[in-house]
Amino acid sequence: MIFRAVFGKDKFLRISFLLKIICACIILNSFQSQAQFLQSKSGKVTFFSEAPIENIEASSNSVIALIDSENGEIAIKVFLRSFEFEKALMQEHFNENYVESDKYPSANFKGEIVDFKGLFKLQKKEFSIKGVLDLHGVKKERTVIAKLVELNSGNLQLQSNFKIACKDHDIKIPKILWKNIAEEIEVSLVIPLKPKEL
């Protein structure tokens, strides 16, 4: 080989050994970078409004989420037009009259896990996530309770239930409809997580 002829046998072996170490470090760093972030592109969010005249429920299976497993930072996004309702008229009113999804296309949450000491220490335990919910152009600090569950596949699933007051995000409900739509909406999140692909 050319390298062996130029550098000699001993130097060639040392160079070959160093190259193997460098390659191993690159591969290890790649795995660590991949393992650092957990992501989802198919999380599910459901909201439920319980009122005297009718109950309203809608869901979306297009929640995007990213968690940094080293520091517990978390980001969640859902496009509001991805919510599906039982009645088409409800869906139209939701997008046009209430959340104004053409003007504010998504709801976003950015925050971090409180007292974070590693994801594995959080499994099957309830913990707090503190951050800012940006909905309908209004940012509101929120602290929600969540739980991590290990699935049969070995991946993790983030689960959370909380309530959102319409007035907190300037979502106005006409007085004539106060018996149709609750002032507080119950929200349920189920987000399967897996290592982020490079």
Side-chain angles (χ1 to χ4, degrees):
M1 293 177 65
I2 296 175
F3 284 110
R4 183 175 295 181
V6 173
F7 296 107
K9 185 178 180 180
D10 291 340
K11 285 187 177 181
F12 170 76
L13 290 174
R14 285 198 294 269
I15 292 172
S16 177
F17 179 70
L18 287 172
L19 287 173
K20 287 179 181 178
I21 291 177
I22 292 170
C23 288
C25 289
I26 292 172
I27 292 170
L28 180 61
N29 184 61
S30 174
F31 280 123
Q32 288 176 336
S33 297
Q34 184 173 354
Q36 179 180 341
F37 293 98
L38 298 177
Q39 69 171 0
S40 179
K41 296 180 181 178
S42 57
K44 181 176 182 179
V45 58
T46 302
F47 74 74
F48 181 73
S49 163
E50 184 177 10
I53 290 181
E54 63 179 339
N55 295 332
I56 300 172
E57 185 173 9
S59 63
S60 167
N61 292 298
S62 303
V63 177
I64 301 169
L66 187 67
I67 297 179
D68 189 328
S69 63
E70 287 196 351
N71 58 25
E73 290 183 351
I74 182 169
I76 300 173
K77 176 191 286 284
V78 58
F79 289 101
L80 297 174
R81 281 198 174 274
S82 67
F83 279 99
E84 296 182 355
F85 292 70
E86 182 181 354
K87 298 177 182 179
L89 186 59
M90 288 181 181
Q91 190 161 330
E92 182 181 332
H93 287 170
F94 171 77
N95 285 296
E96 294 183 5
N97 301 332
Y98 301 123
V99 297
E100 300 177 275
S101 54
D102 285 340
K103 187 175 181 180
Y104 310 106
S106 65
N108 303 281
F109 178 85
K110 290 184 180 180
E112 59 184 15
I113 297 170
V114 178
D115 296 327
F116 180 75
K117 296 175 182 176
L119 290 178
F120 291 105
K121 293 186 178 181
L122 296 174
Q123 289 183 43
K124 299 180 181 179
K125 297 179 182 178
E126 291 188 341
F127 55 90
S128 298
I129 302 175
K130 185 177 182 180
V132 175
L133 175 62
D134 185 353
L135 172 63
H136 195 233
V138 178
K139 294 181 179 180
K140 188 80 174 178
E141 288 190 2
R142 297 296 306 268
T143 299
V144 299
I145 303 299
K147 184 167 65 172
L148 273 178
V149 176
E150 186 174 1
L151 304 177
N152 293 332
S153 62
N155 292 327
L156 298 174
Q157 185 181 81
L158 179 69
Q159 302 174 355
S160 182
N161 296 285
F162 53 93
K163 294 183 178 181
I164 296 176
C166 295
K167 65 179 182 180
D168 285 349
H169 295 275
D170 199 26
I171 298 173
K172 297 176 181 177
I173 309 299
K175 289 184 179 180
I176 195 173
L177 295 176
W178 73 270
K179 288 187 177 182
N180 297 73
I181 302 172
E183 294 181 359
E184 276 195 335
I185 307 299
E186 298 175 17
V187 181
S188 174
L189 273 177
V190 179
I191 304 177
L193 298 161
K194 61 182 181 179
K196 186 176 186 293
E197 298 177 0
L198 296 178

